[in-house]
Amino acid sequence: MVDAIDAQDQLDLDRIVLCLRKIAEVIPTMTEGLKTLHDSMSPQEFYVELRPILSGWTAGKFKDGILYEGVTMRQEAPGGLDKDIRNSRLQNLEIERCGTKFSCIGGSAAQSITLQALDTFLQIKHHAEDAAFFQIMCSYMITEHRKFLQDLSEHSHIGELAHSTEHSAFKLAYNACIQAVRNFRLTHLSLIKRFILEPASDRMAKIKSLETAGTGGQKLMEFLQRVSDNTAREQIE
């Protein structure tokens, strides 16, 4: 990606084409890795046992958030306690725990830099509500990843070049990247159907609000279908 963006300044389209071809070759390996979930875990095991763990602190008994000891909590001895008690070992048993609860969403693929970087680099445009969700997910990334996405957004013009150039190899290489990203997202959709929608129809959910919602809180199938469709729209006819 960085090499391709560097080649923009000289409008070295042949160099950009080589970069795009390499990216298009790598994405299918991600897709194949995603498919291994079919062989490594049953839908019931994922839905009933693992998914509640991934749900974060926005659903079920933790929907109001949780206190992180040493991070959001301070300890105070009640003022009404006898001085001798306050100075004794019982003080630690009589403290009032105060602090701010954190409400963190569950694990989401959008918290990974990989797909967001591809979207940003290829200039794939999403609906406003989906773009806003992706932006929220950036807050769960490490600082360096957020900065990298920001730099990509400011400097990548790959999509604009692909849609405006007459360079046929450029268009083909760009389309190959777009199709590879869409194939990944379609594979993700198939996993969602098998590991979430089908178990949900059997009413196995331990957390009611997670039956068909994403662990990130979004309406899962609608969101993923829109993202996939918007990816496909970037292909050049």
Side-chain angles (χ1 to χ4, degrees):
M1 292 183 187
V2 175
D3 285 346
I5 291 173
D6 182 60
Q8 289 177 156
D9 294 335
Q10 298 85 29
L11 277 181
D12 189 344
L13 300 186
D14 290 334
R15 182 180 164 197
I16 296 175
V17 167
L18 290 176
C19 294
L20 290 174
R21 286 173 177 169
K22 289 179 181 178
I23 292 171
E25 290 173 359
V26 169
I27 299 173
T29 64
M30 295 164 45
T31 304
E32 290 303 311
L34 197 60
K35 292 178 181 177
T36 61
L37 184 60
H38 286 288
D39 301 322
S40 59
M41 182 175 291
S42 71
Q44 180 171 353
E45 184 181 10
F46 174 83
Y47 190 78
V48 176
E49 302 299 331
L50 182 59
R51 199 157 187 262
I53 298 174
L54 299 175
S55 66
W57 318 129
T58 57
K61 65 177 67 176
F62 299 121
K63 62 183 177 62
D64 295 323
I66 62 174
L67 290 171
Y68 287 83
E69 187 172 1
V71 178
T72 61
M73 185 179 69
R74 58 188 175 86
Q75 297 180 340
E76 297 177 352
L81 287 179
D82 181 84
K83 181 179 180 181
D84 291 334
I85 295 179
R86 289 204 304 270
N87 292 333
S88 73
R89 294 173 60 189
L90 292 177
Q91 178 181 350
N92 291 330
L93 301 177
E94 299 292 338
I95 59 175
E96 178 185 3
R97 298 188 171 214
C98 306
T100 302
K101 291 183 177 181
F102 274 120
S103 293
C104 298
I105 67 167
S108 169
Q111 293 166 4
S112 166
I113 190 177
T114 307
L115 282 177
Q116 289 220 45
L118 286 168
D119 280 347
T120 305
F121 171 72
L122 297 170
Q123 295 187 290
I124 296 173
K125 300 176 181 65
H126 295 291
H127 290 188
E129 62 183 292
D130 300 330
F133 173 75
F134 286 133
Q135 191 61 42
I136 292 172
M137 294 302 97
C138 287
S139 66
Y140 288 81
M141 297 179 185
I142 62 175
T143 302
E144 291 80 3
H145 285 184
R146 291 199 301 271
K147 183 63 168 62
F148 181 70
L149 289 177
Q150 182 181 347
D151 288 344
L152 276 181
S153 179
E154 292 176 359
H155 298 291
S156 178
H157 305 292
I158 297 299
E160 296 169 12
L161 286 173
H163 284 277
S164 62
T165 186
E166 297 299 324
H167 196 294
S168 59
F170 193 127
K171 291 182 177 182
L172 286 172
Y174 179 82
N175 277 349
C177 288
I178 293 295
Q179 187 59 53
V181 173
R182 185 163 193 247
N183 288 344
F184 180 91
R185 286 181 160 140
L186 290 174
T187 299
H188 189 193
L189 271 171
S190 71
L191 287 174
I192 295 301
K193 291 176 182 177
R194 184 182 180 209
F195 285 85
I196 295 178
L197 297 188
E198 291 176 8
S201 67
D202 294 331
R203 299 184 179 278
M204 292 190 295
K206 285 185 175 180
I207 300 177
K208 188 71 175 176
S209 62
L210 278 181
E211 282 188 345
T212 56
T215 48
Q218 71 280 38
K219 294 180 179 179
L220 198 53
M221 286 301 292
E222 295 177 18
F223 166 73
L224 292 176
Q225 189 63 61
R226 279 198 310 269
V227 168
S228 176
D229 291 344
N230 287 333
T231 301
R233 289 192 186 97
E234 294 299 327
Q235 282 201 308
I236 303 168
E237 299 295 335

mmCIF file of all heavy atoms in Angstrom, residues 192-231:
data_model
loop_
_atom_site.group_PDB
_atom_site.id
_atom_site.type_symbol
_atom_site.label_atom_id
_atom_site.label_comp_id
_atom_site.label_asym_id
_atom_site.label_seq_id
_atom_site.Cartn_x
_atom_site.Cartn_y
_atom_site.Cartn_z
ATOM 1 N N ILE A 192 -21.590 -16.149 9.094
ATOM 2 C CA ILE A 192 -22.614 -15.561 9.956
ATOM 3 C C ILE A 192 -23.899 -16.382 9.890
ATOM 4 O O ILE A 192 -24.543 -16.652 10.910
ATOM 5 C CB ILE A 192 -22.898 -14.102 9.538
ATOM 6 C CG1 ILE A 192 -21.669 -13.222 9.760
ATOM 7 C CG2 ILE A 192 -24.103 -13.546 10.295
ATOM 8 C CD1 ILE A 192 -21.169 -13.185 11.174
ATOM 9 N N LYS A 193 -24.265 -16.786 8.692
ATOM 10 C CA LYS A 193 -25.489 -17.575 8.531
ATOM 11 C C LYS A 193 -25.391 -18.903 9.271
ATOM 12 O O LYS A 193 -26.332 -19.323 9.951
ATOM 13 C CB LYS A 193 -25.762 -17.818 7.041
ATOM 14 C CG LYS A 193 -26.158 -16.559 6.289
ATOM 15 C CD LYS A 193 -26.322 -16.829 4.804
ATOM 16 C CE LYS A 193 -26.676 -15.552 4.054
ATOM 17 N NZ LYS A 193 -26.761 -15.777 2.586
ATOM 18 N N ARG A 194 -24.233 -19.558 9.151
ATOM 19 C CA ARG A 194 -24.097 -20.883 9.758
ATOM 20 C C ARG A 194 -23.890 -20.826 11.265
ATOM 21 O O ARG A 194 -24.444 -21.639 12.004
ATOM 22 C CB ARG A 194 -22.923 -21.631 9.114
ATOM 23 C CG ARG A 194 -22.809 -23.051 9.657
ATOM 24 C CD ARG A 194 -21.643 -23.809 9.095
ATOM 25 N NE ARG A 194 -21.604 -25.149 9.665
ATOM 26 C CZ ARG A 194 -20.501 -25.852 9.845
ATOM 27 N NH1 ARG A 194 -19.334 -25.350 9.492
ATOM 28 N NH2 ARG A 194 -20.540 -27.057 10.368
ATOM 29 N N PHE A 195 -23.081 -19.860 11.718
ATOM 30 C CA PHE A 195 -22.684 -19.850 13.126
ATOM 31 C C PHE A 195 -23.541 -18.937 14.007
ATOM 32 O O PHE A 195 -23.441 -18.999 15.228
ATOM 33 C CB PHE A 195 -21.215 -19.445 13.253
ATOM 34 C CG PHE A 195 -20.256 -20.527 12.850
ATOM 35 C CD1 PHE A 195 -19.892 -20.692 11.526
ATOM 36 C CD2 PHE A 195 -19.739 -21.403 13.790
ATOM 37 C CE1 PHE A 195 -19.017 -21.699 11.146
ATOM 38 C CE2 PHE A 195 -18.866 -22.412 13.426
ATOM 39 C CZ PHE A 195 -18.503 -22.566 12.092
ATOM 40 N N ILE A 196 -24.389 -18.096 13.388
ATOM 41 C CA ILE A 196 -25.213 -17.196 14.200
ATOM 42 C C ILE A 196 -26.698 -17.319 13.855
ATOM 43 O O ILE A 196 -27.524 -17.589 14.734
ATOM 44 C CB ILE A 196 -24.750 -15.734 14.042
ATOM 45 C CG1 ILE A 196 -23.330 -15.586 14.600
ATOM 46 C CG2 ILE A 196 -25.706 -14.783 14.772
ATOM 47 C CD1 ILE A 196 -22.742 -14.205 14.452
ATOM 48 N N LEU A 197 -27.058 -17.146 12.583
ATOM 49 C CA LEU A 197 -28.476 -17.137 12.233
ATOM 50 C C LEU A 197 -29.139 -18.498 12.439
ATOM 51 O O LEU A 197 -30.253 -18.577 12.977
ATOM 52 C CB LEU A 197 -28.655 -16.674 10.789
ATOM 53 C CG LEU A 197 -28.217 -15.243 10.479
ATOM 54 C CD1 LEU A 197 -28.625 -14.866 9.067
ATOM 55 C CD2 LEU A 197 -28.812 -14.260 11.476
ATOM 56 N N GLU A 198 -28.476 -19.556 12.013
ATOM 57 C CA GLU A 198 -29.075 -20.883 12.175
ATOM 58 C C GLU A 198 -29.196 -21.282 13.647
ATOM 59 O O GLU A 198 -30.266 -21.746 14.075
ATOM 60 C CB GLU A 198 -28.274 -21.914 11.382
ATOM 61 C CG GLU A 198 -28.412 -21.732 9.868
ATOM 62 C CD GLU A 198 -27.545 -22.687 9.077
ATOM 63 O OE1 GLU A 198 -26.942 -23.606 9.696
ATOM 64 O OE2 GLU A 198 -27.446 -22.531 7.848
ATOM 65 N N PRO A 199 -28.157 -21.104 14.472
ATOM 66 C CA PRO A 199 -28.335 -21.387 15.904
ATOM 67 C C PRO A 199 -29.384 -20.488 16.552
ATOM 68 O O PRO A 199 -30.116 -20.922 17.442
ATOM 69 C CB PRO A 199 -26.943 -21.119 16.489
ATOM 70 C CG PRO A 199 -26.011 -21.328 15.358
ATOM 71 C CD PRO A 199 -26.750 -20.817 14.153
ATOM 72 N N ALA A 200 -29.472 -19.231 16.100
ATOM 73 C CA ALA A 200 -30.464 -18.314 16.671
ATOM 74 C C ALA A 200 -31.878 -18.818 16.411
ATOM 75 O O ALA A 200 -32.772 -18.659 17.249
ATOM 76 C CB ALA A 200 -30.291 -16.918 16.093
ATOM 77 N N SER A 201 -32.075 -19.436 15.251
ATOM 78 C CA SER A 201 -33.405 -19.957 14.932
ATOM 79 C C SER A 201 -33.785 -21.113 15.851
ATOM 80 O O SER A 201 -34.959 -21.419 16.028
ATOM 81 C CB SER A 201 -33.458 -20.420 13.471
ATOM 82 O OG SER A 201 -32.620 -21.546 13.272
ATOM 83 N N ASP A 202 -32.767 -21.743 16.459
ATOM 84 C CA ASP A 202 -33.019 -22.826 17.420
ATOM 85 C C ASP A 202 -33.125 -22.308 18.846
ATOM 86 O O ASP A 202 -33.195 -23.083 19.795
ATOM 87 C CB ASP A 202 -31.894 -23.869 17.341
ATOM 88 C CG ASP A 202 -31.880 -24.587 16.006
ATOM 89 O OD1 ASP A 202 -32.958 -24.708 15.400
ATOM 90 O OD2 ASP A 202 -30.801 -25.010 15.573
ATOM 91 N N ARG A 203 -33.097 -20.964 19.001
ATOM 92 C CA ARG A 203 -33.252 -20.307 20.303
ATOM 93 C C ARG A 203 -32.238 -20.805 21.331
ATOM 94 O O ARG A 203 -32.580 -21.152 22.449
ATOM 95 C CB ARG A 203 -34.672 -20.499 20.839
ATOM 96 C CG ARG A 203 -35.740 -19.913 19.936
ATOM 97 C CD ARG A 203 -37.121 -20.037 20.556
ATOM 98 N NE ARG A 203 -38.135 -19.452 19.704
ATOM 99 C CZ ARG A 203 -38.422 -18.158 19.654
ATOM 100 N NH1 ARG A 203 -37.755 -17.322 20.413
ATOM 101 N NH2 ARG A 203 -39.371 -17.707 18.862
ATOM 102 N N MET A 204 -30.973 -20.807 20.935
ATOM 103 C CA MET A 204 -29.928 -21.252 21.849
ATOM 104 C C MET A 204 -29.211 -20.088 22.523
ATOM 105 O O MET A 204 -28.273 -20.279 23.271
ATOM 106 C CB MET A 204 -28.899 -22.111 21.104
ATOM 107 C CG MET A 204 -29.453 -23.446 20.631
ATOM 108 S SD MET A 204 -28.159 -24.539 20.014
ATOM 109 C CE MET A 204 -27.588 -23.647 18.590
ATOM 110 N N ALA A 205 -29.626 -18.851 22.230
ATOM 111 C CA ALA A 205 -28.889 -17.693 22.733
ATOM 112 C C ALA A 205 -28.941 -17.603 24.251
ATOM 113 O O ALA A 205 -30.001 -17.690 24.855
ATOM 114 C CB ALA A 205 -29.444 -16.408 22.127
ATOM 115 N N LYS A 206 -27.771 -17.432 24.870
ATOM 116 C CA LYS A 206 -27.717 -17.189 26.307
ATOM 117 C C LYS A 206 -27.989 -15.712 26.602
ATOM 118 O O LYS A 206 -28.477 -15.363 27.668
ATOM 119 C CB LYS A 206 -26.335 -17.566 26.858
ATOM 120 C CG LYS A 206 -26.105 -19.065 26.969
ATOM 121 C CD LYS A 206 -24.767 -19.344 27.633
ATOM 122 C CE LYS A 206 -24.576 -20.835 27.852
ATOM 123 N NZ LYS A 206 -23.274 -21.132 28.495
ATOM 124 N N ILE A 207 -27.629 -14.855 25.654
ATOM 125 C CA ILE A 207 -27.868 -13.420 25.795
ATOM 126 C C ILE A 207 -28.871 -13.022 24.725
ATOM 127 O O ILE A 207 -28.560 -13.025 23.536
ATOM 128 C CB ILE A 207 -26.567 -12.611 25.642
ATOM 129 C CG1 ILE A 207 -25.559 -13.045 26.707
ATOM 130 C CG2 ILE A 207 -26.833 -11.120 25.751
ATOM 131 C CD1 ILE A 207 -24.221 -12.356 26.596
ATOM 132 N N LYS A 208 -30.098 -12.707 25.135
ATOM 133 C CA LYS A 208 -31.191 -12.474 24.203
ATOM 134 C C LYS A 208 -30.856 -11.421 23.155
ATOM 135 O O LYS A 208 -31.146 -11.580 21.973
ATOM 136 C CB LYS A 208 -32.436 -12.037 24.992
ATOM 137 C CG LYS A 208 -33.707 -11.953 24.157
ATOM 138 C CD LYS A 208 -34.205 -13.328 23.772
ATOM 139 C CE LYS A 208 -35.536 -13.238 23.038
ATOM 140 N NZ LYS A 208 -35.988 -14.558 22.567
ATOM 141 N N SER A 209 -30.211 -10.334 23.584
ATOM 142 C CA SER A 209 -29.927 -9.236 22.660
ATOM 143 C C SER A 209 -28.900 -9.604 21.609
ATOM 144 O O SER A 209 -28.705 -8.882 20.645
ATOM 145 C CB SER A 209 -29.441 -8.007 23.437
ATOM 146 O OG SER A 209 -28.243 -8.304 24.119
ATOM 147 N N LEU A 210 -28.214 -10.745 21.781
ATOM 148 C CA LEU A 210 -27.196 -11.160 20.818
ATOM 149 C C LEU A 210 -27.706 -12.199 19.833
ATOM 150 O O LEU A 210 -26.930 -12.756 19.076
ATOM 151 C CB LEU A 210 -25.983 -11.746 21.555
ATOM 152 C CG LEU A 210 -24.962 -10.758 22.104
ATOM 153 C CD1 LEU A 210 -23.836 -11.515 22.773
ATOM 154 C CD2 LEU A 210 -24.420 -9.857 21.019
ATOM 155 N N GLU A 211 -29.003 -12.470 19.825
ATOM 156 C CA GLU A 211 -29.506 -13.537 18.970
ATOM 157 C C GLU A 211 -29.053 -13.365 17.524
ATOM 158 O O GLU A 211 -28.502 -14.262 16.918
ATOM 159 C CB GLU A 211 -31.032 -13.608 19.053
ATOM 160 C CG GLU A 211 -31.515 -14.298 20.326
ATOM 161 C CD GLU A 211 -33.005 -14.532 20.318
ATOM 162 O OE1 GLU A 211 -33.699 -13.928 19.475
ATOM 163 O OE2 GLU A 211 -33.483 -15.317 21.144
ATOM 164 N N THR A 212 -29.306 -12.194 16.956
ATOM 165 C CA THR A 212 -28.883 -11.952 15.574
ATOM 166 C C THR A 212 -28.170 -10.616 15.430
ATOM 167 O O THR A 212 -27.967 -10.141 14.319
ATOM 168 C CB THR A 212 -30.092 -11.978 14.615
ATOM 169 O OG1 THR A 212 -31.055 -11.016 15.054
ATOM 170 C CG2 THR A 212 -30.727 -13.350 14.578
ATOM 171 N N ALA A 213 -27.795 -10.004 16.548
ATOM 172 C CA ALA A 213 -27.052 -8.743 16.501
ATOM 173 C C ALA A 213 -25.567 -9.034 16.530
ATOM 174 O O ALA A 213 -25.129 -10.071 17.019
ATOM 175 C CB ALA A 213 -27.430 -7.856 17.689
ATOM 176 N N GLY A 214 -24.783 -8.100 15.991
ATOM 177 C CA GLY A 214 -23.342 -8.263 16.038
ATOM 178 C C GLY A 214 -22.821 -8.007 17.437
ATOM 179 O O GLY A 214 -23.438 -7.293 18.225
ATOM 180 N N THR A 215 -21.672 -8.608 17.771
ATOM 181 C CA THR A 215 -21.082 -8.350 19.082
ATOM 182 C C THR A 215 -20.647 -6.896 19.192
ATOM 183 O O THR A 215 -20.403 -6.396 20.285
ATOM 184 C CB THR A 215 -19.876 -9.278 19.323
ATOM 185 O OG1 THR A 215 -19.025 -9.254 18.174
ATOM 186 C CG2 THR A 215 -20.337 -10.699 19.583
ATOM 187 N N GLY A 216 -20.549 -6.224 18.053
ATOM 188 C CA GLY A 216 -20.274 -4.796 18.062
ATOM 189 C C GLY A 216 -21.536 -3.965 18.210
ATOM 190 O O GLY A 216 -21.470 -2.744 18.274
ATOM 191 N N GLY A 217 -22.709 -4.625 18.263
ATOM 192 C CA GLY A 217 -23.962 -3.936 18.505
ATOM 193 C C GLY A 217 -24.756 -3.604 17.256
ATOM 194 O O GLY A 217 -25.892 -3.153 17.334
ATOM 195 N N GLN A 218 -24.185 -3.829 16.070
ATOM 196 C CA GLN A 218 -24.873 -3.461 14.839
ATOM 197 C C GLN A 218 -25.848 -4.552 14.401
ATOM 198 O O GLN A 218 -25.762 -5.685 14.835
ATOM 199 C CB GLN A 218 -23.856 -3.192 13.717
ATOM 200 C CG GLN A 218 -23.144 -4.430 13.177
ATOM 201 C CD GLN A 218 -22.011 -4.905 14.042
ATOM 202 O OE1 GLN A 218 -22.068 -4.868 15.258
ATOM 203 N NE2 GLN A 218 -20.965 -5.387 13.417
ATOM 204 N N LYS A 219 -26.812 -4.187 13.527
ATOM 205 C CA LYS A 219 -27.714 -5.176 12.956
ATOM 206 C C LYS A 219 -26.912 -5.983 11.943
ATOM 207 O O LYS A 219 -26.632 -5.520 10.838
ATOM 208 C CB LYS A 219 -28.909 -4.486 12.305
ATOM 209 C CG LYS A 219 -29.800 -3.768 13.307
ATOM 210 C CD LYS A 219 -30.977 -3.096 12.619
ATOM 211 C CE LYS A 219 -31.868 -2.401 13.629
ATOM 212 N NZ LYS A 219 -33.012 -1.707 12.981
ATOM 213 N N LEU A 220 -26.586 -7.180 12.319
ATOM 214 C CA LEU A 220 -25.501 -7.919 11.693
ATOM 215 C C LEU A 220 -25.655 -8.140 10.193
ATOM 216 O O LEU A 220 -24.833 -7.692 9.399
ATOM 217 C CB LEU A 220 -25.338 -9.257 12.410
ATOM 218 C CG LEU A 220 -24.028 -9.996 12.201
ATOM 219 C CD1 LEU A 220 -22.850 -9.102 12.498
ATOM 220 C CD2 LEU A 220 -23.984 -11.229 13.077
ATOM 221 N N MET A 221 -26.703 -8.839 9.773
ATOM 222 C CA MET A 221 -26.825 -9.191 8.364
ATOM 223 C C MET A 221 -27.025 -7.966 7.486
ATOM 224 O O MET A 221 -26.459 -7.874 6.396
ATOM 225 C CB MET A 221 -27.980 -10.179 8.177
ATOM 226 C CG MET A 221 -27.659 -11.582 8.663
ATOM 227 S SD MET A 221 -26.217 -12.308 7.821
ATOM 228 C CE MET A 221 -26.860 -12.508 6.164
ATOM 229 N N GLU A 222 -27.837 -7.019 7.955
ATOM 230 C CA GLU A 222 -28.055 -5.803 7.171
ATOM 231 C C GLU A 222 -26.742 -5.056 6.969
ATOM 232 O O GLU A 222 -26.429 -4.593 5.870
ATOM 233 C CB GLU A 222 -29.064 -4.896 7.881
ATOM 234 C CG GLU A 222 -30.461 -5.480 7.978
ATOM 235 C CD GLU A 222 -31.389 -4.569 8.756
ATOM 236 O OE1 GLU A 222 -31.052 -3.375 8.916
ATOM 237 O OE2 GLU A 222 -32.443 -5.046 9.215
ATOM 238 N N PHE A 223 -25.979 -4.951 8.038
ATOM 239 C CA PHE A 223 -24.700 -4.246 7.993
ATOM 240 C C PHE A 223 -23.730 -4.929 7.029
ATOM 241 O O PHE A 223 -23.158 -4.286 6.134
ATOM 242 C CB PHE A 223 -24.109 -4.185 9.399
ATOM 243 C CG PHE A 223 -22.660 -3.778 9.454
ATOM 244 C CD1 PHE A 223 -22.282 -2.466 9.215
ATOM 245 C CD2 PHE A 223 -21.676 -4.711 9.752
ATOM 246 C CE1 PHE A 223 -20.949 -2.089 9.268
ATOM 247 C CE2 PHE A 223 -20.347 -4.344 9.808
ATOM 248 C CZ PHE A 223 -19.980 -3.031 9.563
ATOM 249 N N LEU A 224 -23.544 -6.235 7.184
ATOM 250 C CA LEU A 224 -22.574 -6.953 6.360
ATOM 251 C C LEU A 224 -22.992 -6.986 4.893
ATOM 252 O O LEU A 224 -22.141 -6.920 3.998
ATOM 253 C CB LEU A 224 -22.387 -8.375 6.892
ATOM 254 C CG LEU A 224 -21.705 -8.477 8.259
ATOM 255 C CD1 LEU A 224 -21.674 -9.924 8.733
ATOM 256 C CD2 LEU A 224 -20.293 -7.906 8.209
ATOM 257 N N GLN A 225 -24.290 -7.090 4.632
ATOM 258 C CA GLN A 225 -24.753 -7.104 3.246
ATOM 259 C C GLN A 225 -24.517 -5.751 2.584
ATOM 260 O O GLN A 225 -24.084 -5.676 1.430
ATOM 261 C CB GLN A 225 -26.238 -7.464 3.185
ATOM 262 C CG GLN A 225 -26.743 -7.720 1.769
ATOM 263 C CD GLN A 225 -26.074 -8.915 1.118
ATOM 264 O OE1 GLN A 225 -26.174 -10.035 1.599
ATOM 265 N NE2 GLN A 225 -25.367 -8.683 0.014
ATOM 266 N N ARG A 226 -24.783 -4.668 3.316
ATOM 267 C CA ARG A 226 -24.534 -3.327 2.765
ATOM 268 C C ARG A 226 -23.059 -3.130 2.462
ATOM 269 O O ARG A 226 -22.688 -2.602 1.406
ATOM 270 C CB ARG A 226 -24.998 -2.246 3.750
ATOM 271 C CG ARG A 226 -26.464 -1.938 3.743
ATOM 272 C CD ARG A 226 -26.732 -0.588 4.406
ATOM 273 N NE ARG A 226 -26.089 -0.461 5.704
ATOM 274 C CZ ARG A 226 -26.650 -0.792 6.857
ATOM 275 N NH1 ARG A 226 -27.870 -1.305 6.873
ATOM 276 N NH2 ARG A 226 -26.001 -0.625 7.996
ATOM 277 N N VAL A 227 -22.214 -3.544 3.397
ATOM 278 C CA VAL A 227 -20.770 -3.372 3.216
ATOM 279 C C VAL A 227 -20.289 -4.158 2.000
ATOM 280 O O VAL A 227 -19.476 -3.674 1.204
ATOM 281 C CB VAL A 227 -20.025 -3.819 4.494
ATOM 282 C CG1 VAL A 227 -18.531 -3.936 4.236
ATOM 283 C CG2 VAL A 227 -20.275 -2.830 5.626
ATOM 284 N N SER A 228 -20.804 -5.374 1.835
ATOM 285 C CA SER A 228 -20.434 -6.193 0.681
ATOM 286 C C SER A 228 -20.916 -5.558 -0.620
ATOM 287 O O SER A 228 -20.176 -5.495 -1.610
ATOM 288 C CB SER A 228 -21.030 -7.596 0.836
ATOM 289 O OG SER A 228 -20.760 -8.382 -0.302
ATOM 290 N N ASP A 229 -22.154 -5.074 -0.625
ATOM 291 C CA ASP A 229 -22.710 -4.451 -1.832
ATOM 292 C C ASP A 229 -21.944 -3.183 -2.205
ATOM 293 O O ASP A 229 -21.686 -2.925 -3.392
ATOM 294 C CB ASP A 229 -24.188 -4.117 -1.621
ATOM 295 C CG ASP A 229 -25.061 -5.360 -1.519
ATOM 296 O OD1 ASP A 229 -24.587 -6.448 -1.901
ATOM 297 O OD2 ASP A 229 -26.204 -5.242 -1.041
ATOM 298 N N ASN A 230 -21.582 -2.390 -1.205
ATOM 299 C CA ASN A 230 -20.841 -1.155 -1.480
ATOM 300 C C ASN A 230 -19.449 -1.455 -2.016
ATOM 301 O O ASN A 230 -18.908 -0.696 -2.828
ATOM 302 C CB ASN A 230 -20.744 -0.302 -0.215
ATOM 303 C CG ASN A 230 -22.070 0.343 0.141
ATOM 304 O OD1 ASN A 230 -22.895 0.591 -0.727
ATOM 305 N ND2 ASN A 230 -22.282 0.602 1.416
ATOM 306 N N THR A 231 -18.868 -2.555 -1.566
ATOM 307 C CA THR A 231 -17.573 -2.976 -2.107
ATOM 308 C C THR A 231 -17.711 -3.307 -3.586
ATOM 309 O O THR A 231 -16.906 -2.866 -4.416
ATOM 310 C CB THR A 231 -17.043 -4.207 -1.342
ATOM 311 O OG1 THR A 231 -16.911 -3.887 0.043
ATOM 312 C CG2 THR A 231 -15.693 -4.649 -1.889
#
